[in-house]
Amino acid sequence: MIVILHKDEKVVNVFNYKSKEEIQAISRNLVEVFFDIGKRYKNTLIVWCLEDLKDFINESEINNIFHHELIMASFNTRHSNYIDERVGYIESNPFLNVNESVMYPTWLMSSCIGGVNSDVLSRYNQSDYKKESFSYILNSIAKRGIANGLFCYSAPKLLIKNITVPKVFKPSKYELFKFIKEHYRCRWAFLTLFNSLIYEKRLLALPFLRSFFTSKKLDKPYLTDLKIASNKNINTRESSIDVIIPTIGRKAYLHDVLKDLANQTLLPKNVIIIEQNPDIGSKSDLDYLQNESWPFNIKHTFVNKTGACNARNMALEQIESDWVFMADDDIRFEKDIVEIALNEMFAYGLNAATLSCLRKGDIKIKKPMLQWNTFGSGCSIVSKNIVERISFDMAFEHGFGEDGDYGMQIRNLGEDIGYISKCSLLHLKAPIGGFRTKFRQPWEDDKVQPKPSPTVMLYSLKNHTKQQLLGYKTLLFIKFFNKQNNNNFFTYFFKMKKRWKRSIYWANKLKNSVS
């Protein structure tokens, strides 16, 4: 491990942390030294640290944080991020609302303290950055890499407790628009300008215009050839897995899922089925559970109550194995998919991953394991250690957003979610069986119909930053205008404001109903 101590964008010292041997730096310019060390040393962890924090480096946690080569992590001891929070106007993923008490996935990097492997850094060109600050470059490296296999984190355990806080800096509006221009499509710069004017009454015209003369689109780095081997000790062959499947009116489809599970090279220990039918007096339709022989134990529960959140929670209470495969009742998959997925997760040291789930006709594109921005409740594998600590929020029942919210709960535990594209499921999107009763949401008779759906609003209120919520509001208003009959923009706008407020009202009502 090589440590670069710096202060005010200047190098103070460069040394081997283990031997304490000083390394000759080519200059005092922090950016130049950073890239030079990345070229001179192979497969070496490079740590940057403010000189004021050098005595607080938590050496005992370094190997746990950087447990494989494709990890970049930092921790911000300041009260604001280098990239202005207005970036939330254009980015809806969970990487912005950082939980600083745990190791949390984010591309928001800090120059206070952090690290990256030299083999990763060598895939970036210093020539892409001319006059940018070190903090800007760190955020750019993470943002460009996270879409191509780099795993980026805020890691509070980089430092021991009781640290001092360096001086606060104010994020630059000029740097924000430059960053947007270089890492997003051009239209997002316009949207940031518009949102700042609408919600803050601030016209950021000069930073917006200047970005078009000082910025260029930066390419993603090539990282796919780097070999990954997490130092976390997990034994694949000794691992067991349970499968949970909520089902409703899909007898034939579920039978095919069970057949695919029976052919797996790594057989499940238990398959936990929660069968739902709201018709009072109805009975199970799944006669093949007893009439046929299965190479795993089947735990079958029949309930006269519908709802995916309730069904999954009931199933998760019955798990026994080390891992849980959360499956839909209308998917098909190859015989080795469970084993391949677990091996991928072990290689990256992940306790949760979502598998590629394609519809018929979709083109399968193989990508490296990615740090995922969502979660699929019908196509994911999660460790027992996680599912024992969280549950699906019943406030989302019969709506949308429960799987995304479950993913956020995983991240707020200090865990991460990977995306595995090399082994994909086929999602048949089967029609649901017919029943005599239909669930009615409490707002269906409301004079002012909420927009968006209150469960979607609830997800945003729980998990998004203020800027992300407002950015979503703007996009919703724009996109929905062409999907309705009112062509008068002004009357449409005032009507949508009422519907938005009503959605917030019902979202809070849902939240309070289960709290």
Side-chain angles (χ1 to χ4, degrees), residues 405-425:
D405 180 75
Y406 193 85
M408 289 302 297
Q409 291 184 59
I410 291 175
R411 296 181 187 92
N412 283 309
L413 289 177
E415 299 286 354
D416 199 5
I417 302 169
Y419 174 73
I420 307 174
S421 65
K422 67 186 301 182
C423 47
S424 61
L425 311 166

Side-chain angles (χ1 to χ4, degrees), residues 404-472:
D405 180 75
Y406 193 85
M408 289 302 297
Q409 291 184 59
I410 291 175
R411 296 181 187 92
N412 283 309
L413 289 177
E415 299 286 354
D416 199 5
I417 302 169
Y419 174 73
I420 307 174
S421 65
K422 67 186 301 182
C423 47
S424 61
L425 311 166
L426 174 62
H427 196 185
L428 300 177
K429 283 290 182 180
I432 195 169
F435 298 104
R436 291 190 296 272
T437 59
K438 178 182 179 296
F439 183 84
R440 287 182 60 82
Q441 295 286 9
W443 52 83
E444 287 187 25
D445 296 324
D446 207 335
K447 184 179 293 186
V448 177
Q449 282 295 298
K451 190 71 179 178
S453 165
T455 55
V456 174
M457 177 65 79
L458 177 61
Y459 174 82
S460 291
L461 292 175
K462 282 186 65 176
N463 301 303
H464 282 162
T465 66
K466 175 184 175 182
Q467 288 75 22
Q468 286 180 305
L469 180 63
L470 294 175
Y472 169 62

Side-chain angles (χ1 to χ4, degrees), residues 147-167:
N148 209 38
L150 188 62
F151 283 68
C152 307
Y153 301 94
S154 165
K157 288 187 177 180
L158 280 169
L159 296 168
I160 59 177
K161 295 180 180 179
N162 300 321
I163 59 172
T164 55
V165 180
K167 61 183 180 181

